[in-house]
Amino acid sequence: AMPIYTHFTSPIRRYADVVVHRQLAACIGLEPPSVQLSYTEIVTEQCEVINVRHKNAQWASRASAELYTLVFFRGKPSTEEARVVKVREKGVVVFVPKYGIEGTIALAQEDWTKVENAFRMVSGDGKRALNLFDRVTVRIEVQQEGQSRQEHLVLSLVD
């Protein structure tokens, strides 16, 4: 219901939004411009810090989700329905709705071929095809890899 409106998250939650709100308020004459926010160098420096912290928060969030997913599936493999959401040269990416996870299923080049100009993989014998949005059954399990024995979530097709 305002002639000028810009949507941001609550200023209480994000300093970046506070900076933007102050700049917008100054631009439309609601309050005088902040002295600190009048200097390009200061604003640029603050934006760089905000961006670094935002990227770090995203990284921490993803790492946390990956850790808890590994803990959840460790020692108890699961077989679930999934959907093919991407078709790549060397495999497909599937989404498992039950768990809200997405993962790549590598398909051996000698056994599968990507159809050119199509979202489709065909088995070497031509008896099986995987198309974009197809329903598939996948096995989800945690496997250790390399000398470090680092754990990874591995998805594979169930025939």
Side-chain angles (χ1 to χ4, degrees):
M2 297 179 66
I4 300 173
Y5 175 78
T6 305
H7 175 77
F8 293 92
T9 59
S10 169
I12 296 168
R13 286 186 268 160
R14 294 193 60 224
Y15 180 66
D17 291 340
V18 172
V19 171
V20 171
H21 283 218
R22 289 178 183 164
Q23 293 288 53
L24 288 172
C27 288
I28 62 176
L30 290 177
E31 62 182 54
S34 163
V35 175
Q36 279 192 321
L37 295 178
S38 298
Y39 297 104
T40 303
E41 301 83 28
I42 293 174
V43 174
T44 300
E45 185 179 315
Q46 286 179 336
C47 288
E48 288 173 5
V49 170
I50 288 168
N51 287 336
V52 166
R53 290 184 185 266
H54 177 71
K55 286 177 187 172
N56 288 343
Q58 283 182 322
W59 179 85
S61 175
R62 288 182 189 130
S64 174
E66 182 179 348
L67 171 66
Y68 283 102
T69 301
L70 288 173
V71 169
F72 180 81
F73 285 106
R74 185 183 293 143
K76 56 176 186 177
S78 180
T79 300
E80 300 296 335
E81 185 177 280
R83 289 271 185 175
V84 175
V85 293
K86 291 180 189 168
V87 178
R88 296 191 168 154
E89 292 296 322
K90 297 181 180 181
V92 293
V93 178
V94 297
F95 176 71
V96 183
K98 181 174 180 179
Y99 298 113
I101 59 174
E102 191 175 282
T104 300
I105 297 177
L107 300 172
Q109 294 297 74
E110 59 274 2
D111 298 330
W112 290 87
T113 307
K114 183 177 185 302
V115 177
E116 215 171 307
N117 299 321
F119 302 106
R120 178 181 181 92
M121 296 285 284
V122 178
S123 64
D125 61 8
K127 293 182 180 177
R128 185 147 187 224
L130 293 173
N131 298 293
L132 190 63
F133 305 124
D134 276 356
R135 287 183 188 187
V136 293
T137 303
V138 297
R139 180 175 170 83
I140 307 165
E141 61 186 325
V142 175
Q143 293 180 355
Q144 295 180 342
E145 189 175 275
Q147 284 184 322
S148 68
R149 300 181 48 82
Q150 185 172 353
E151 293 181 326
H152 296 280
L153 194 66
V154 176
L155 281 74
S156 55
L157 283 178
V158 175
D159 291 327

